């Protein structure tokens, strides 16, 4: 099973709202990722968690706050977003082996619209 | 800075034809080269991947050709089908970070 699940599938929020995106995998993977994808563009890496510790933060604004409660779950907390943050937010996971060759498996994404 | 350059941006192929998408990279530290297929409204799905110690890898109708000296790799889709119509991303990585190409929108006409 190579499934990564994400909830919700769609989210509409105002600029003053607080919301959270959730991601779950049961493949025993120890690395989890958040990506942002705009229409007709490749995914852009936001955060990487390795063994539940934040290992990469690609200079993402503080209105995005990641959290990794355990090895199977990854959250992205959203607060005071801007309309330009509207995008498809993708979660991915990989085995997390330090030797590389990290195949990343993506979830279906959450389509976020900020009004 | 785009670390992986992908071409063409869009491609139209007749059913049964061969689709070819090319990618080039500069960073010799990259050691893993996956291709992802993405349908509208869905997440990218791993299609096929190759390591630099192999020059070619074939899985069904999909083949990756890899030229380490030229720092280029390509995806060939044989006997292209309308169901292959999607966006294809090449990528290169060393460690955790995946560096994507800009994507190729493939349309296979009946």
């Amino acid at each position: 099973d190579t499934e990564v699940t994400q909830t919700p599938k769609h989210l509409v929020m105002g600029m003053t709202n607080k919301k959270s995106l959730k991601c779950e995998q049961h493949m025993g993977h120890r690395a989890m990722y958040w990506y942002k994808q705009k229409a007709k563009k490749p995914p852009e890496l936001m955060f990487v968690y390795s063994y539940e510790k934040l290992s990469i933060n690609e200079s993402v604004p503080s209105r995005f706050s990641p959290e990794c409660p355990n090895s199977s779950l990854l959250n992205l907390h959203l607060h005071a977003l801007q309309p330009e943050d509207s995008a498809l937010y993708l979660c991915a996971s990989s085995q997390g082996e330090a030797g590389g060759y990290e195949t990343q498996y993506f979830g279906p994404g959450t389509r976020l619209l900020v009004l | 800075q785009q670390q992986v350059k992908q071409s063409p941006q869009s491609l139209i192929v007749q059913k049964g034809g061969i689709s070819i998408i090319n990618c080039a990279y500069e960073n010799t530290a990259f050691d893993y080269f996956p291709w992802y297929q993405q349908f509208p409204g869905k997440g990218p799905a791993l299609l096929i991947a190759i390591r630099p110690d192999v020059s070619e890898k074939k899985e069904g109708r999909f083949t990756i050709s890899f030229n380490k000296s030229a720092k280029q790799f390509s995806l060939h889709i044989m006997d292209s089908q309308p169901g292959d119509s999607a966006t294809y991303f090449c990528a290169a990585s060393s460690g955790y970070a995946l560096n994507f190409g800009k994507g190729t929108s493939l349309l296979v006409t009946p």
Side-chain angles (χ1 to χ4, degrees), chain A residues 75-92:
Chain A
N75 298 322
L76 185 63
H77 302 297
L78 314 172
H79 174 54
L81 294 193
Q82 303 298 309
E84 59 265 28
D85 296 322
S86 299
L88 182 68
Y89 287 84
L90 294 162
C91 174

Side-chain angles (χ1 to χ4, degrees), chain A:
Chain A
D1 183 12
T2 57
E3 187 177 27
V4 175
T5 59
Q6 290 187 243
T7 56
K9 290 184 179 180
H10 303 276
L11 180 62
V12 179
M13 60 187 290
M15 289 189 285
T16 57
N17 291 158
K18 287 185 181 181
K19 296 285 185 183
S20 296
L21 309 184
K22 297 185 184 303
C23 173
E24 190 167 6
Q25 57 87 16
H26 294 288
M27 295 179 278
H29 289 173
R30 303 309 300 269
M32 296 186 76
Y33 310 74
W34 280 115
Y35 287 85
K36 173 183 177 180
Q37 187 177 29
K38 301 284 264 185
K40 299 189 185 300
K41 299 290 186 183
E44 296 175 21
L45 183 64
M46 300 174 72
F47 304 103
V48 180
Y49 272 83
S50 174
Y51 290 80
E52 295 135 63
K53 291 190 185 332
L54 184 64
S55 64
I56 296 178
N57 176 343
E58 292 287 357
S59 303
V60 179
S62 59
R63 58 186 183 268
F64 295 92
S65 175
E67 178 196 20
C68 190
N70 60 55
S71 60
S72 301
L73 293 173
L74 186 66
N75 298 322
L76 185 63
H77 302 297
L78 314 172
H79 174 54
L81 294 193
Q82 303 298 309
E84 59 265 28
D85 296 322
S86 299
L88 182 68
Y89 287 84
L90 294 162
C91 174
S93 71
S94 68
Q95 284 196 327
E97 298 299 325
Y101 310 134
E102 287 285 311
T103 296
Q104 293 185 26
Y105 297 93
F106 285 82
T110 293
R111 176 74 61 188
L112 174 66
L113 177 61
V114 182
L115 300 176

Side-chain angles (χ1 to χ4, degrees), chain B residues 84-104:
Chain B
D84 296 330
S85 298
T87 299
Y88 292 80
F89 293 100
C90 64
S93 73
S94 59
Y96 293 127
L98 264 180
N99 298 274
F100 285 94
K102 288 190 174 183
T104 296

Side-chain angles (χ1 to χ4, degrees), chain B residues 77-88:
Chain B
I77 305 174
M78 311 300 289
D79 188 26
S80 299
Q81 299 296 312
D84 296 330
S85 298
T87 299
Y88 292 80

